[in-house]
């Protein structure tokens, strides 16, 4: 192993890793709102709206993220959608993970025993108040964990935006392998950075999970 | 919305309910005067729980009408949000106690009791706390105020659930097999709380398997089977000299012999 | 905006070739990752630390880093030492990646079966290996079916990533057609539809297999 080379390329990879974090974090943030909207639309009173939301989720989950990315980036201009690579990565990432996340949120909400909402309704709480005071606090733990799993997938998926030449971790790693001819060193370093990001995400998720489920061991 | 005192507290007229092709309530009439206690007994699947849940609109009835203190509960004419607003208001006047307690596990005992008054009636935190403590006192659990439901026994959970329902100062309390999920030795403490309520002249509708308790506490008893009221009478009469063969048969199975 | 799908029709035979390649790669990778995953799981559970620690490290490494990074490493890395065609890199890369994921599942299901079943089997007189092969593994496989199905459905979608290292599957062949016709939107939409159909078929197949597996219990 060429340690000197590794020290030399660390700043470059670290900078690229920050782009990976930035793109994933933004996609997760917007994805959460898209997911919440999808959950709401799936319970809308108007049938076509429910149907549309379900079809959207099904199509996004049924096609590769990579193809979605290529379609929006290269095919987008044909329908007047011109996005720079970074924005494209965030937008496609958000709309992609949003579909998965809506299923995660719905699953967490449905995991709460139906007796809970009955008890709440019988006291006179409306649908929304029941969701806010009774259902969400109890489903938050599961929701956080499932969103955590999706956040990790999002970080790994973000490597694909290297194809549309966003200079993130995988793009930089590939370029460095090409210029240094030291694949092992570059791979080891960039893998390490992905692993650090992943464990950071897992740490945050565990922290939030404990906070959300504190009542279970009080 | 308080009516003249001769208005029944709860009144059901020709209530029918279907689940798909199965008719579980085949035209039920029922009247509870204020301060009175009615018990409904019957085999499982007789429709007695569905009847109770219908009064709270947890099940939507298909035909007939339900009135609470003269105000109609089911309103086929109201749709969407308008009905939502109507039913939320109605439900605030009814206390419901479930077989499986359904306490809110993420809230302390006290918070379980005070959540509804605080959020629905806008009672301030201090008054809510006083009210909550007073109610927990009444069910004998004031010392458990800051504890979470997971550390309570079944009997204690059900007593908290009763306090929670009482916190909205309901006009009527509905008990849906409140002691059926409890270990035998825990039944009595819940029955005691219900007896206290009876002494305070709370209007109650009790669906139960506890024949002795039903006989002891109620003013009127009904036997249901197959979605209809087979027989109703004073508890003494119904439990000792049932007029109908089916009632007799049911009581024999559950008491050994009637009377 | 004006759409013209006629180039897609012109190049449909090319796309079909791509679909064929994608499905073939999927089949090979599925077999490799399921059989290999089971072997890896057994080795990492029932051998000494010298053997199973490196193996577990590799499983962990494959699961914590992105597929594309692994592909680049294999493609440029292996290419330095041995002459290896891209298609082999692609199949091996995807195969190892999902072998790790499947091994992870098998490790869990083998553990869940062997608590209880292992002692029962040994008490009947089965040896260690006989217990493993006749009692534990068949049940572990059975329990793994739903998750294996999920993994394979995800895997087929990941075949599209192989286009990045120049493997002539569906996306790569379409990119060639796009470079000639300048109709990216139409082609990528078509690919998405094709993938959606493949996915639908796989999900139907998965629920069929799961129903049959459940019936055999």
């Amino acid at each position: 192993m060429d340690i000197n080379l590794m020290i030399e390329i660390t700043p470059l990879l670290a900078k690229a890793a920050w782009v990976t974090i930035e793109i994933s974090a933004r996609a997760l943030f917007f994805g959460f709102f898209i997911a919440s909207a999808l959950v709401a639309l799936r319970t809308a009173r108007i049938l076509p709206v429910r149907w549309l939301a379900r079809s959207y989720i099904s199509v996004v989950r049924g096609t590769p993220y990579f193809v979605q990315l290529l379609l929006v980036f290269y095919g987008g201009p044909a329908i007047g959608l011109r996005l720079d690579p970074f924005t494209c990565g965030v937008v496609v990432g958000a709309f992609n993970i949003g579909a998965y996340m809506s299923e995660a949120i719905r699953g967490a909400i449905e995991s709460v025993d139906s007796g809970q909402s009955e008890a709440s309704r019988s006291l006179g709480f409306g649908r929304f108040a029941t969701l806010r005071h009774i259902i969400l606090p109890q489903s938050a733990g599961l929701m956080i964990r499932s969103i955590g799993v999706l956040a990790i997938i999002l970080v790994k998926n973000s490597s694909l935006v290297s194809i549309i030449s966003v200079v993130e971790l995988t793009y930089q790693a590939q370029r460095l392998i090409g210029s240094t001819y030291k694949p092992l060193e570059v791979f080891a370093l960039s893998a390490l950075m992905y692993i650090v990001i992943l464990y950071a995400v897992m740490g945050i998720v565990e922290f939030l999970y404990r906070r959300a489920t504190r009542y279970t061991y009080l | 919305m308080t009516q003249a005192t001769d208005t029944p507290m709860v009144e059901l007229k020709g209530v029918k309910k279907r689940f798909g092709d199965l008719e579980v309530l085949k035209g039920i009439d029922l009247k509870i005067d204020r301060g009175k206690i009615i018990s409904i007994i019957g085999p499982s699947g007789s429709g007695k729980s569905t009847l109770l849940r219908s009064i709270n609109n947890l099940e939507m009835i298909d035909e007939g009408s339900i009135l609470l203190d003269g105000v109609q509960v089911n309103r086929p004419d109201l749709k969407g949000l308008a009905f939502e607003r109507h039913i939320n208001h109605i439900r605030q006047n009814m206390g419901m106690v479930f077989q499986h307690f359904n306490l809110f596990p993420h809230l302390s005992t006290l918070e379980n009791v005070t959540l509804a008054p605080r959020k629905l009636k806008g009672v301030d935190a201090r008054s809510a706390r006083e009210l909550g403590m007073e109610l927990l006192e009444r069910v004998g659990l004031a010392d458990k105020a800051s504890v979470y439901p997971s550390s309570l026994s079944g009997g204690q959970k059900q007593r908290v659930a009763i306090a929670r329902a009482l916190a909205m100062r309901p006009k009527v309390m509905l008990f849906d097999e409140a002691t059926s999920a409890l270990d035998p030795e825990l039944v009595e403490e819940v029955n005691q709380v219900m007896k206290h309520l009876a002494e305070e002249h709370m209007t109650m509708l009790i669906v139960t398997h506890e024949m002795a308790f039903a006989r002891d506490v109620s003013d009127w008893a009904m036997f249901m089977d197959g979605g209809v009221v087979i027989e109703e009478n004073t508890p003494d009469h119904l439990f000792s000299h049932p007029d109908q063969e089916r009632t007799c048969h049911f009581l024999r199975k559950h008491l050994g012999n009637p009377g | 905006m004006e759409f013209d799908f006629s180039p897609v029709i012109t190049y449909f035979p090319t796309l079909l070739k791509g679909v064929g390649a994608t499905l073939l790669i999927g089949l090979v990778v599925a077999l490799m990752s399921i059989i290999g995953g089971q072997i890896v799981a057994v080795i990492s559970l029932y051998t000494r630390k010298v053997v199973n620690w490196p193996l577990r490290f590799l499983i962990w490494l494959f699961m914590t880093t992105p597929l594309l990074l692994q592909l680049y490493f294999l493609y440029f890395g292996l290419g330095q030492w041995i002459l290896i065609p891209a298609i082999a890199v692609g199949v091996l890369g995807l195969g190892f990646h999902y072998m790790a994921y499947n091994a992870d599942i098998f490790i869990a299901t083998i553990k869940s079966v062997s608590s209880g079943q292992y002692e029962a089997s040994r008490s009947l007189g089965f040896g260690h290996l006989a217990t493993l092969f006749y009692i534990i593994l068949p049940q572990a496989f059975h329990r793994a079916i739903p998750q294996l199905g999920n993994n394979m459905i995800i895997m087929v979608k990941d075949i599209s990533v192989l286009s990045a290292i120049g493997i002539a599957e569906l996306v790569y062949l379409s990119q060639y057609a796009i470079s000639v016709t300048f109709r990216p939107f139409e082609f990528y939409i078509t690919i998405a539809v094709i993938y959606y159909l493949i996915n639908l078929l796989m999900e139907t197949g998965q629920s069929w297999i799961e129903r049959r597996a459940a019936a055999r219990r």
Side-chain angles (χ1 to χ4, degrees), chain A residues 75-82, chain C residues 1-5 183 185-186:
Chain A
I79 54 166
L81 189 69
R82 274 166 230 279
Chain C
M1 31 180 167
E2 218 171 82
F3 301 125
D4 180 7
F5 278 90
R183 287 279 169 194
F185 186 81
E186 288 83 345

Side-chain angles (χ1 to χ4, degrees), chain A residues 58 61 74 78 156 181 199, chain C residues 60 63 80 101 157 184 196:
Chain A
S58 164
R61 285 161 50 101
Y74 294 110
K156 286 197 263 181
Y181 297 104
Y199 276 82
Chain C
W60 174 79
M63 290 179 72
Q80 272 194 339
Y101 277 91
K157 286 189 277 181
Y196 187 70

Side-chain angles (χ1 to χ4, degrees), chain B residues 88-140:
Chain B
N88 289 344
H89 187 68
I90 289 279
R91 279 170 173 157
Q92 293 181 21
N93 293 296
M94 282 192 249
M96 177 110 182
V97 177
F98 299 87
Q99 182 178 0
H100 296 287
F101 335 126
N102 298 347
L103 285 187
F104 305 135
H106 61 297
L107 301 176
S108 72
T109 302
L110 182 65
E111 287 166 340
N112 261 278
V113 179
T114 57
L115 183 74
R118 267 175 49 222
K119 301 293 176 191
L120 294 173
K121 285 188 175 164
V123 175
D124 65 277
R126 233 184 73 204
S127 321
R129 200 190 143 76
E130 276 167 21
L131 169 73
M133 288 310 293
E134 179 203 316
L135 286 167
L136 286 176
E137 194 89 54
R138 259 167 85 182
V139 298

Side-chain angles (χ1 to χ4, degrees), chain A residues 5 19 29 38 44 47 57 63 78 89 91 97 109 127 133 140 143 146 159-160 169 185 191 198 204 206 209:
Chain A
L5 173 82
V19 177
F29 179 78
L38 284 170
L47 189 71
I57 293 166
T63 53
V91 168
I97 216 69
I109 287 173
R127 264 177 230 274
H133 296 300
M143 215 178 277
S146 343
S159 65
L160 297 178
L169 195 44
E185 283 83 347
L198 249 57
I204 294 169
E206 257 334 274
Y209 176 81

Side-chain angles (χ1 to χ4, degrees), chain A residues 58 61-64 66 70-71 74-75 78-79 100 156 159 162-163 170 173 177 181 183 187 191 194-195 198-199, chain C residues 1 3 60 63-66 68-69 72-73 76-77 80 101 157 160 163-164 171 175 184-185 188-189 192 195-196 199:
Chain A
S58 164
R61 285 161 50 101
T63 53
F66 191 49
L70 297 173
L71 172 66
Y74 294 110
I79 54 166
Y100 288 90
K156 286 197 263 181
S159 65
S162 61
I163 300 299
T170 296
I177 291 174
Y181 297 104
F187 177 74
Y194 272 113
I195 288 162
L198 249 57
Y199 276 82
Chain C
M1 31 180 167
F3 301 125
W60 174 79
M63 290 179 72
T64 48
T65 53
L68 188 57
L69 187 69
Y72 282 147
F73 173 67
F76 296 108
Q80 272 194 339
Y101 277 91
K157 286 189 277 181
S160 61
S163 64
V171 174
Q175 279 168 342
F185 186 81
Y188 284 127
I189 282 282
Y195 253 111
Y196 187 70
N199 198 73

Side-chain angles (χ1 to χ4, degrees), chain B residues 167-228:
Chain B
M168 290 299 283
R169 306 259 183 244
K171 296 182 171 183
V172 57
M173 288 285 284
L174 310 171
F175 291 87
D176 187 6
E177 309 210 6
T179 53
S180 299
L182 295 176
D183 292 334
E185 70 271 20
L186 301 175
V187 168
E188 192 46 37
E189 57 185 83
V190 175
N191 283 348
Q192 279 305 325
V193 169
M194 289 169 71
K195 266 183 204 159
H196 282 312
L197 283 177
E199 284 157 13
E200 293 164 12
H201 302 293
M202 171 62 81
T203 312
M204 302 203 268
L205 183 59
I206 302 170
V207 164
T208 186
H209 278 135
E210 299 273 320
M211 304 302 159
F213 177 72
R215 182 175 186 164
D216 186 18
V217 80
S218 22
D219 301 300
W220 194 250
M222 300 174 98
F223 172 69
M224 270 183 80
D225 195 9
V228 289

Side-chain angles (χ1 to χ4, degrees), chain B:
Chain B
M1 63 190 261
T2 311
Q3 309 285 308
T5 40
D6 55 340
T7 319
M9 191 58 100
V10 178
E11 190 173 8
L12 276 67
K13 295 177 197 159
V15 169
K16 291 186 181 180
K17 169 72 189 170
R18 274 182 297 277
F19 288 123
D21 291 337
L22 186 70
E23 196 170 26
V24 286
L25 297 178
K26 299 174 180 165
I28 306 284
D29 297 300
L30 181 148
K31 209 181 267 185
I32 315 177
D33 290 323
R34 58 193 66 234
K36 297 294 179 194
I37 296 162
I38 296 188
S39 291
I40 306 178
I41 57 167
S44 51
S46 60
K48 56 189 196 303
S49 273
T50 307
L51 179 70
L52 197 79
R53 290 165 58 82
S54 298
I55 296 174
N56 202 255
N57 201 65
L58 290 174
E59 309 289 353
M60 230 32 113
I61 61 170
D62 297 309
E63 271 175 58
S65 65
I66 299 171
L67 287 95
L68 173 71
D69 203 4
V71 179
Q72 189 163 348
V73 175
N74 66 313
R75 288 282 295 274
D77 55 316
L78 291 181
K79 298 269 179 287
L81 270 179
F83 179 73
E84 179 85 11
R85 225 170 296 146
H86 158 77
I87 198 65
N88 289 344
H89 187 68
I90 289 279
R91 279 170 173 157
Q92 293 181 21
N93 293 296
M94 282 192 249
M96 177 110 182
V97 177
F98 299 87
Q99 182 178 0
H100 296 287
F101 335 126
N102 298 347
L103 285 187
F104 305 135
H106 61 297
L107 301 176
S108 72
T109 302
L110 182 65
E111 287 166 340
N112 261 278
V113 179
T114 57
L115 183 74
R118 267 175 49 222
K119 301 293 176 191
L120 294 173
K121 285 188 175 164
V123 175
D124 65 277
R126 233 184 73 204
S127 321
R129 200 190 143 76
E130 276 167 21
L131 169 73
M133 288 310 293
E134 179 203 316
L135 286 167
L136 286 176
E137 194 89 54
R138 259 167 85 182
V139 298
L141 288 169
D143 55 326
K144 300 281 186 191
S146 56
V147 150
Y148 281 75
S150 57
S151 58
L152 297 177
S153 75
Q156 292 172 329
K157 281 182 188 164
Q158 196 60 297
R159 282 147 69 195
V160 174
I162 292 172
R164 177 177 71 179
L166 289 173
M168 290 299 283
R169 306 259 183 244
K171 296 182 171 183
V172 57
M173 288 285 284
L174 310 171
F175 291 87
D176 187 6
E177 309 210 6
T179 53
S180 299
L182 295 176
D183 292 334
E185 70 271 20
L186 301 175
V187 168
E188 192 46 37
E189 57 185 83
V190 175
N191 283 348
Q192 279 305 325
V193 169
M194 289 169 71
K195 266 183 204 159
H196 282 312
L197 283 177
E199 284 157 13
E200 293 164 12
H201 302 293
M202 171 62 81
T203 312
M204 302 203 268
L205 183 59
I206 302 170
V207 164
T208 186
H209 278 135
E210 299 273 320
M211 304 302 159
F213 177 72
R215 182 175 186 164
D216 186 18
V217 80
S218 22
D219 301 300
W220 194 250
M222 300 174 98
F223 172 69
M224 270 183 80
D225 195 9
V228 289
V229 177
I230 303 289
E231 177 171 1
E232 54 181 312
N233 216 319
T234 60
D236 280 335
H237 190 102
L238 187 94
F239 287 103
S240 313
H241 323 283
D243 298 327
Q244 300 292 325
E245 183 50 39
R246 274 155 89 182
T247 319
C248 211
H249 184 75
F250 174 79
L251 289 173
R252 209 175 297 134
K253 251 172 66 185
H254 283 79
L255 292 171
N257 61 345

Side-chain angles (χ1 to χ4, degrees), chain C residues 130-174:
Chain C
T131 299
L132 193 59
F133 282 106
Y134 296 124
I135 311 291
I136 310 284
L137 289 186
Q139 293 185 63
F141 190 85
H142 203 273
R143 276 190 205 184
I145 285 174
Q147 285 166 287
L148 285 179
N150 288 343
N151 274 0
M152 293 305 97
I153 287 172
I154 300 170
M155 179 271 285
V156 168
K157 286 189 277 181
D158 268 351
I159 295 173
S160 61
V161 177
L162 297 186
S163 64
I165 56 168
I167 288 163
E169 46 63 72
L170 182 54
V171 174
Y172 187 83
L173 289 179
S174 320

